Coordinates of all heavy atoms in Angstrom, one line a residue:
G1093 N -14.3 16.0 6.7 CA -15.6 15.9 7.4 C -16.7 16.7 6.9 O -17.8 16.7 7.5
V1094 N -16.5 17.3 5.7 CA -17.6 18.1 5.1 C -18.1 17.4 3.9 O -19.2 16.9 3.9 CB -17.1 19.6 4.8 CG1 -18.2 20.4 4.1 CG2 -16.6 20.3 6.0
N1095 N -17.3 17.4 2.8 CA -17.8 16.7 1.6 C -17.5 15.2 1.6 O -18.0 14.5 0.7 CB -17.3 17.4 0.3 CG -15.8 17.3 0.2 OD1 -15.1 17.3 1.3 ND2 -15.2 17.2 -1.0
E1096 N -16.7 14.8 2.5 CA -16.5 13.4 2.7 C -16.2 13.2 4.2 O -15.5 14.0 4.8 CB -15.3 12.9 1.9 CG -15.0 11.4 2.0 CD -13.9 11.0 1.0 OE1 -12.8 11.6 1.0 OE2 -14.1 10.0 0.3
S1097 N -16.7 12.1 4.7 CA -16.4 11.8 6.2 C -14.9 11.7 6.4 O -14.2 11.2 5.6 CB -17.2 10.6 6.6 OG -16.6 9.4 6.1
C1098 N -14.6 12.0 7.7 CA -13.2 11.8 8.1 C -12.8 10.3 8.0 O -11.7 10.0 7.6 CB -13.0 12.3 9.5 SG -11.4 12.8 10.0
R1099 N -13.7 9.5 8.3 CA -13.4 8.0 8.2 C -13.1 7.6 6.8 O -12.1 6.9 6.6 CB -14.7 7.3 8.8 CG -14.6 5.8 8.7 CD -15.8 5.1 9.2 NE -15.7 3.7 9.3 CZ -16.6 2.9 9.7 NH1 -17.8 3.4 10.1 NH2 -16.4 1.6 9.8
D1100 N -13.9 8.1 5.9 CA -13.7 7.7 4.5 C -12.4 8.3 3.9 O -11.6 7.6 3.2 CB -14.9 8.2 3.6 CG -16.1 7.4 3.9 OD1 -16.1 6.5 4.7 OD2 -17.2 7.7 3.2
T1101 N -12.1 9.5 4.3 CA -10.9 10.2 3.9 C -9.7 9.4 4.4 O -8.7 9.2 3.6 CB -10.8 11.7 4.4 OG1 -11.9 12.4 3.8 CG2 -9.5 12.3 4.0
A1102 N -9.7 9.0 5.6 CA -8.6 8.3 6.2 C -8.3 7.0 5.5 O -7.2 6.6 5.2 CB -8.9 8.0 7.7
K1103 N -9.4 6.3 5.1 CA -9.3 5.0 4.4 C -8.8 5.2 3.0 O -8.0 4.4 2.5 CB -10.6 4.2 4.4 CG -11.0 3.7 5.8 CD -12.3 3.0 5.8 CE -12.6 2.5 7.2 NZ -11.6 1.6 7.8
V1104 N -9.3 6.2 2.3 CA -8.8 6.5 1.0 C -7.3 6.9 1.0 O -6.5 6.3 0.2 CB -9.6 7.7 0.3 CG1 -9.0 8.2 -1.0 CG2 -11.1 7.2 0.1
L1105 N -6.9 7.8 1.8 CA -5.5 8.2 1.9 C -4.6 7.0 2.3 O -3.4 7.0 1.8 CB -5.3 9.4 2.9 CG -6.0 10.7 2.4 CD1 -5.8 11.8 3.5 CD2 -5.4 11.2 1.1
S1106 N -5.1 6.1 3.1 CA -4.3 5.0 3.5 C -3.9 4.1 2.3 O -2.9 3.4 2.3 CB -5.0 4.1 4.5 OG -5.2 4.9 5.7
G1107 N -4.8 4.1 1.3 CA -4.5 3.4 0.1 C -3.7 4.1 -1.0 O -3.2 3.5 -2.0
L1108 N -3.6 5.4 -0.8 CA -2.9 6.3 -1.8 C -1.6 6.8 -1.5 O -0.8 7.2 -2.3 CB -3.8 7.5 -2.2 CG -5.2 7.1 -2.8 CD1 -6.0 8.4 -3.0 CD2 -5.0 6.4 -4.2
C1109 N -1.3 6.9 -0.2 CA 0.0 7.4 0.3 C 0.5 6.6 1.5 O -0.1 5.7 1.9 CB -0.1 8.9 0.6 SG -1.2 9.3 1.9
D1110 N 1.7 7.0 2.0 CA 2.4 6.2 3.0 C 2.2 6.9 4.4 O 2.4 6.2 5.4 CB 3.9 6.1 2.7 CG 4.1 5.3 1.4 OD1 4.0 4.1 1.4 OD2 4.2 6.0 0.3
I1111 N 1.9 8.2 4.4 CA 1.9 8.9 5.7 C 1.1 10.2 5.4 O 1.0 10.7 4.3 CB 3.3 9.2 6.2 CG1 3.3 9.7 7.6 CG2 4.1 10.2 5.2 CD1 4.7 9.8 8.3
V1112 N 0.5 10.7 6.5 CA -0.3 12.0 6.4 C 0.2 13.0 7.4 O 0.4 12.6 8.6 CB -1.8 11.7 6.6 CG1 -2.6 13.0 6.7 CG2 -2.4 10.8 5.5
L1113 N 0.4 14.2 7.0 CA 0.6 15.3 8.0 C -0.6 16.2 7.8 O -1.0 16.6 6.7 CB 1.9 16.1 7.7 CG 2.1 17.3 8.6 CD1 3.6 17.4 9.0 CD2 1.7 18.6 8.0
A1114 N -1.3 16.4 9.0 CA -2.5 17.3 8.9 C -2.4 18.4 9.9 O -2.1 18.3 11.1 CB -3.7 16.4 9.3
R1115 N -2.6 19.6 9.4 CA -2.6 20.9 10.1 C -4.0 21.4 10.2 O -4.6 21.8 9.3 CB -1.7 21.9 9.4 CG -1.4 23.2 10.2 CD -0.5 24.1 9.4 NE -0.4 25.4 9.9 CZ 0.5 25.8 10.9 NH1 1.3 24.9 11.4 NH2 0.5 27.0 11.3
V1116 N -4.6 21.2 11.4 CA -6.1 21.3 11.6 C -6.4 22.3 12.7 O -5.6 22.6 13.5 CB -6.7 19.9 11.8 CG1 -6.4 19.0 10.6 CG2 -6.2 19.3 13.1
Y1117 N -7.7 22.6 12.7 CA -8.2 23.4 13.8 C -8.5 22.6 15.1 O -8.0 22.9 16.2 CB -9.5 24.2 13.4 CG -9.3 25.4 12.5 CD1 -9.4 25.2 11.1 CD2 -9.0 26.6 13.1 CE1 -9.1 26.3 10.3 CE2 -8.7 27.7 12.3 CZ -8.8 27.6 10.9 OH -8.6 28.6 10.1
S1118 N -9.1 21.5 14.9 CA -9.6 20.6 16.0 C -8.7 19.4 16.2 O -8.6 18.6 15.2 CB -11.0 20.2 15.8 OG -11.4 19.3 16.8
H1119 N -8.2 19.2 17.4 CA -7.4 18.0 17.7 C -8.2 16.7 17.5 O -7.6 15.7 17.1 CB -6.8 18.1 19.1 CG -5.7 17.1 19.3 ND1 -4.4 17.2 18.9 CD2 -5.8 15.9 20.0 CE1 -3.7 16.1 19.2 NE2 -4.5 15.3 19.9
S1120 N -9.5 16.8 17.7 CA -10.3 15.6 17.6 C -10.3 15.1 16.1 O -10.5 13.9 15.9 CB -11.7 15.8 18.1 OG -12.3 16.9 17.3
M1121 N -10.1 16.0 15.2 CA -10.0 15.6 13.8 C -8.8 14.7 13.5 O -8.9 13.7 12.8 CB -9.9 16.9 12.9 CG -10.0 16.6 11.4 SD -11.6 16.1 10.9 CE -12.5 17.7 10.9
L1122 N -7.7 15.0 14.2 CA -6.5 14.2 14.1 C -6.8 12.8 14.7 O -6.4 11.8 14.1 CB -5.3 14.8 14.8 CG -4.8 16.1 14.1 CD1 -3.8 16.7 15.1 CD2 -4.0 15.7 12.8
E1123 N -7.4 12.8 15.8 CA -7.7 11.5 16.5 C -8.7 10.6 15.6 O -8.5 9.4 15.5 CB -8.4 11.8 17.9 CG -7.4 12.4 18.8 CD -8.0 12.9 20.1 OE1 -9.2 13.1 20.2 OE2 -7.2 12.9 21.1
D1124 N -9.6 11.3 15.0 CA -10.5 10.6 14.1 C -9.8 10.0 12.9 O -10.0 8.8 12.5 CB -11.7 11.5 13.6 CG -12.6 11.8 14.7 OD1 -12.6 11.2 15.7 OD2 -13.4 12.8 14.5
L1125 N -8.9 10.8 12.3 CA -8.1 10.3 11.2 C -7.2 9.1 11.6 O -7.2 8.1 10.9 CB -7.1 11.4 10.7 CG -7.7 12.5 9.7 CD1 -6.7 13.5 9.4 CD2 -8.1 11.8 8.4
D1126 N -6.6 9.2 12.7 CA -5.7 8.2 13.2 C -6.4 6.9 13.5 O -5.9 5.8 13.3 CB -5.0 8.7 14.5 CG -3.9 7.7 14.9 OD1 -3.1 7.3 14.1 OD2 -3.8 7.4 16.1
K1127 N -7.6 7.0 14.0 CA -8.4 5.9 14.4 C -8.8 5.0 13.2 O -8.8 3.8 13.2 CB -9.7 6.3 15.1 CG -10.6 5.2 15.5 CD -11.9 5.8 16.2 CE -12.9 4.7 16.5 NZ -14.2 5.2 17.1
E1128 N -9.0 5.7 12.0 CA -9.5 5.0 10.8 C -8.3 4.7 9.8 O -8.5 3.8 9.0 CB -10.5 5.8 10.1 CG -11.8 6.1 11.0 CD -12.5 4.8 11.3 OE1 -12.3 3.8 10.7 OE2 -13.3 4.8 12.3
A1129 N -7.2 5.4 9.9 CA -6.1 5.2 9.0 C -5.3 4.0 9.3 O -5.1 3.6 10.5 CB -5.3 6.5 8.9
S1130 N -4.7 3.4 8.3 CA -3.7 2.3 8.5 C -2.3 2.7 8.3 O -1.4 1.9 8.2 CB -4.1 1.1 7.6 OG -4.0 1.5 6.2
I1131 N -2.1 4.1 8.1 CA -0.8 4.6 8.0 C -0.6 5.7 9.1 O -1.5 6.1 9.7 CB -0.6 5.3 6.6 CG1 -1.7 6.4 6.4 CG2 -0.7 4.2 5.5 CD1 -1.6 7.1 5.0
P1132 N 0.7 6.1 9.3 CA 1.0 7.1 10.4 C 0.3 8.4 10.1 O 0.3 8.9 8.9 CB 2.5 7.2 10.4 CG 3.0 5.9 9.8 CD 2.0 5.6 8.7
I1133 N -0.2 9.1 11.1 CA -0.7 10.4 11.0 C 0.2 11.3 11.9 O 0.5 11.0 13.0 CB -2.1 10.5 11.6 CG1 -3.0 9.5 10.9 CG2 -2.7 12.0 11.4 CD1 -3.3 9.7 9.4
I1134 N 0.7 12.5 11.3 CA 1.5 13.4 12.0 C 0.6 14.7 12.3 O 0.0 15.2 11.4 CB 2.7 13.8 11.2 CG1 3.7 12.6 11.1 CG2 3.5 15.0 11.9 CD1 4.9 12.9 10.2
N1135 N 0.7 15.2 13.5 CA 0.0 16.4 13.9 C 0.9 17.6 13.4 O 2.0 17.9 13.9 CB -0.1 16.5 15.4 CG -0.8 17.8 15.9 OD1 -1.1 18.7 15.1 ND2 -1.0 17.9 17.2
G1136 N 0.5 18.3 12.3 CA 1.2 19.5 11.9 C 0.8 20.7 12.6 O 1.4 21.8 12.4
L1137 N -0.2 20.6 13.5 CA -0.6 21.7 14.4 C -2.1 21.4 14.7 O -2.8 21.1 13.7 CB -0.5 23.1 13.9 CG -1.1 24.2 14.7 CD1 -0.2 25.5 14.7 CD2 -2.4 24.6 14.2
S1138 N -2.5 21.5 15.9 CA -4.0 21.5 16.2 C -4.2 22.5 17.3 O -3.3 23.1 17.8 CB -4.4 20.1 16.7 OG -3.8 19.8 18.0
D1139 N -5.5 22.7 17.7 CA -5.8 23.6 18.8 C -5.2 23.2 20.1 O -5.0 24.1 21.0 CB -7.3 23.8 18.9 CG -8.0 22.5 19.2 OD1 -7.4 21.4 19.1 OD2 -9.2 22.6 19.5
L1140 N -4.8 22.0 20.3 CA -4.4 21.5 21.6 C -2.8 21.3 21.6 O -2.2 21.6 22.7 CB -5.0 20.1 21.9 CG -4.9 19.6 23.3 CD1 -5.5 20.6 24.3 CD2 -5.6 18.3 23.4
Y1141 N -2.2 20.9 20.5 CA -0.8 20.6 20.6 C -0.1 21.1 19.2 O -0.7 21.1 18.2 CB -0.5 19.1 20.7 CG -0.9 18.5 22.1 CD1 -2.0 17.6 22.1 CD2 -0.3 18.9 23.2 CE1 -2.4 17.1 23.3 CE2 -0.7 18.4 24.5 CZ -1.7 17.4 24.5 OH -2.1 16.9 25.7
H1142 N 1.2 21.3 19.4 CA 2.0 21.6 18.2 C 3.4 20.9 18.4 O 4.4 21.5 18.5 CB 2.3 23.1 18.0 CG 2.8 23.5 16.7 ND1 3.0 22.6 15.7 CD2 3.1 24.7 16.2 CE1 3.5 23.3 14.6 NE2 3.6 24.5 14.9
P1143 N 3.4 19.5 18.3 CA 4.6 18.7 18.7 C 5.7 18.9 17.8 O 6.9 18.8 18.2 CB 4.0 17.3 18.8 CG 2.8 17.3 17.9 CD 2.2 18.6 18.0
I1144 N 5.5 19.1 16.5 CA 6.7 19.2 15.6 C 7.5 20.5 15.8 O 8.7 20.5 15.6 CB 6.3 19.1 14.1 CG1 5.2 20.1 13.7 CG2 5.7 17.7 13.8 CD1 4.9 20.1 12.2
Q1145 N 6.8 21.5 16.4 CA 7.5 22.7 16.7 C 8.5 22.5 17.9 O 9.6 22.9 17.9 CB 6.5 23.8 17.1 CG 7.2 25.1 17.5 CD 8.0 25.7 16.4 OE1 7.6 25.9 15.3 NE2 9.3 26.1 16.7
I1146 N 8.0 21.7 18.9 CA 8.8 21.5 20.1 C 10.0 20.6 19.8 O 11.1 20.8 20.4 CB 7.9 20.8 21.1 CG1 6.8 21.8 21.6 CG2 8.8 20.4 22.4 CD1 7.2 23.2 21.8
M1147 N 9.9 19.7 18.8 CA 11.1 18.9 18.4 C 12.2 19.8 17.8 O 13.4 19.7 18.2 CB 10.7 17.9 17.4 CG 9.7 16.8 17.9 SD 10.3 16.0 19.3 CE 11.7 15.1 18.7
A1148 N 11.8 20.8 17.0 CA 12.7 21.8 16.5 C 13.3 22.6 17.6 O 14.5 22.9 17.6 CB 12.0 22.7 15.5
D1149 N 12.5 23.0 18.6 CA 13.0 23.9 19.7 C 14.1 23.1 20.5 O 15.1 23.7 20.8 CB 11.8 24.3 20.6 CG 10.9 25.3 19.9 OD1 11.1 25.6 18.8 OD2 9.9 25.7 20.6
F1150 N 13.8 21.9 20.8 CA 14.8 21.1 21.6 C 16.0 20.7 20.8 O 17.1 20.7 21.4 CB 14.1 19.9 22.3 CG 13.3 20.3 23.5 CD1 12.0 20.1 23.6 CD2 14.0 20.9 24.6 CE1 11.3 20.4 24.8 CE2 13.3 21.3 25.7 CZ 11.9 21.0 25.8
L1151 N 15.9 20.5 19.5 CA 17.1 20.3 18.7 C 18.0 21.5 18.7 O 19.2 21.5 18.9 CB 16.8 19.8 17.3 CG 18.0 19.6 16.4 CD1 18.9 18.4 16.9 CD2 17.6 19.3 15.0
T1152 N 17.4 22.7 18.6 CA 18.1 24.0 18.6 C 18.8 24.2 19.9 O 20.0 24.6 19.9 CB 17.1 25.1 18.3 OG1 16.4 24.8 17.1 CG2 17.8 26.4 18.2
L1153 N 18.1 23.9 21.0 CA 18.7 24.1 22.3 C 19.8 23.1 22.6 O 20.9 23.4 23.2 CB 17.6 24.0 23.4 CG 16.6 25.1 23.4 CD1 15.5 24.9 24.5 CD2 17.2 26.5 23.6
Q1154 N 19.6 21.9 22.1 CA 20.7 20.8 22.3 C 21.9 21.2 21.5 O 23.0 21.1 22.0 CB 20.1 19.5 21.8 CG 20.9 18.3 22.4 CD 22.1 18.0 21.5 OE1 22.2 18.3 20.4 NE2 23.1 17.4 22.2
E1155 N 21.8 21.8 20.3 CA 22.9 22.2 19.5 C 23.6 23.4 20.2 O 24.8 23.5 20.2 CB 22.4 22.6 18.1 CG 22.0 21.4 17.3 CD 21.4 21.9 15.9 OE1 20.9 23.0 15.8 OE2 21.5 21.1 15.0
H1156 N 22.8 24.3 20.7 CA 23.4 25.5 21.3 C 24.1 25.3 22.6 O 25.2 25.8 22.9 CB 22.3 26.6 21.5 CG 22.8 27.9 22.0 ND1 23.4 28.9 21.3 CD2 22.9 28.4 23.3 CE1 23.8 29.9 22.0 NE2 23.5 29.6 23.3
Y1157 N 23.4 24.6 23.5 CA 24.0 24.4 24.9 C 24.8 23.1 25.1 O 25.5 22.9 26.1 CB 22.8 24.4 25.9 CG 22.2 25.7 26.1 CD1 21.0 26.1 25.5 CD2 22.8 26.7 26.9 CE1 20.4 27.3 25.7 CE2 22.3 28.0 27.1 CZ 21.0 28.3 26.5 OH 20.5 29.5 26.7
G1158 N 24.7 22.2 24.1 CA 25.5 20.9 24.2 C 24.7 19.8 24.9 O 25.1 18.7 24.7
S1159 N 23.8 20.2 25.7 CA 22.9 19.2 26.3 C 21.6 19.9 26.8 O 21.6 21.1 26.9 CB 23.6 18.5 27.5 OG 23.9 19.4 28.5
L1160 N 20.6 19.1 27.2 CA 19.4 19.7 27.6 C 19.1 19.6 29.1 O 18.5 20.5 29.7 CB 18.2 19.0 26.8 CG 18.2 19.2 25.3 CD1 17.2 18.3 24.7 CD2 17.9 20.7 25.0
S1161 N 19.5 18.5 29.7 CA 19.2 18.2 31.1 C 19.7 19.3 32.0 O 20.9 19.7 31.9 CB 19.8 16.9 31.5 OG 19.4 16.5 32.8
G1162 N 18.8 19.8 32.8 CA 19.2 20.9 33.8 C 18.9 22.3 33.3 O 19.0 23.2 34.1
L1163 N 18.6 22.5 32.0 CA 18.2 23.8 31.5 C 16.9 24.2 32.1 O 16.0 23.4 32.5 CB 18.1 23.8 30.0 CG 19.4 23.6 29.2 CD1 19.0 23.6 27.7 CD2 20.3 24.8 29.4
T1164 N 16.7 25.5 32.2 CA 15.4 26.1 32.6 C 14.8 26.9 31.4 O 15.5 27.8 31.0 CB 15.5 27.0 33.8 OG1 16.0 26.2 34.9 CG2 14.2 27.6 34.2
V1165 N 13.6 26.5 31.0 CA 12.9 27.2 29.9 C 11.8 28.0 30.6 O 11.0 27.5 31.4 CB 12.4 26.2 28.9 CG1 11.4 26.9 27.9 CG2 13.5 25.5 28.1
S1166 N 11.7 29.3 30.2 CA 10.6 30.1 30.7 C 9.7 30.5 29.6 O 10.1 31.2 28.6 CB 11.2 31.4 31.4 OG 11.9 31.0 32.5
W1167 N 8.4 30.1 29.7 CA 7.4 30.5 28.7 C 6.7 31.8 29.2 O 6.2 31.8 30.3 CB 6.4 29.4 28.5 CG 5.3 29.7 27.6 CD1 4.1 30.3 27.9 CD2 5.2 29.5 26.2 NE1 3.3 30.5 26.8 CE2 4.0 29.9 25.7 CE3 6.1 28.8 25.3 CZ2 3.6 29.8 24.4 CZ3 5.8 28.7 24.0 CH2 4.5 29.2 23.5
I1168 N 6.7 32.8 28.4 CA 6.1 34.1 28.8 C 5.1 34.5 27.7 O 5.4 34.9 26.6 CB 7.1 35.2 29.0 CG1 8.1 34.8 30.1 CG2 6.5 36.5 29.3 CD1 9.3 35.7 30.2
G1169 N 3.8 34.2 28.0 CA 2.8 34.5 26.9 C 1.5 33.7 27.1 O 1.1 33.5 28.3
D1170 N 0.9 33.3 26.0 CA -0.4 32.6 26.1 C -0.3 31.1 26.4 O 0.7 30.5 26.0 CB -1.1 32.8 24.7 CG -2.5 32.4 24.7 OD1 -3.1 32.3 25.8 OD2 -3.1 32.2 23.6

Side-chain angles (χ1 to χ4, degrees):
V1094 178
N1095 61 328
E1096 182 173 51
S1097 71
C1098 205
R1099 179 181 187 179
D1100 291 0
T1101 297
K1103 290 183 180 299
V1104 168
L1105 291 177
S1106 295
L1108 295 175
C1109 61
D1110 301 278
I1111 191 167
V1112 172
L1113 179 140
R1115 184 176 171 91
V1116 299
Y1117 283 95
S1118 171
H1119 191 77
S1120 62
M1121 186 72 75
L1122 290 169
E1123 294 173 333
D1124 290 345
L1125 277 174
D1126 188 47
K1127 181 181 175 185
E1128 300 296 341
S1130 57
I1131 56 176
I1133 306 294
I1134 295 175
N1135 179 358
L1137 174 142
S1138 71
D1139 57 349
L1140 193 57
Y1141 294 114
H1142 195 1
I1144 57 175
Q1145 178 63 51
I1146 296 312
M1147 297 304 294
D1149 289 2
F1150 279 119
L1151 180 63
T1152 305
L1153 295 177
Q1154 200 278 333
E1155 290 175 333
H1156 181 82
Y1157 289 102
S1159 63
L1160 296 171
S1161 184
L1163 290 178
T1164 298
V1165 170
S1166 295
W1167 177 274
I1168 298 171
D1170 191 17

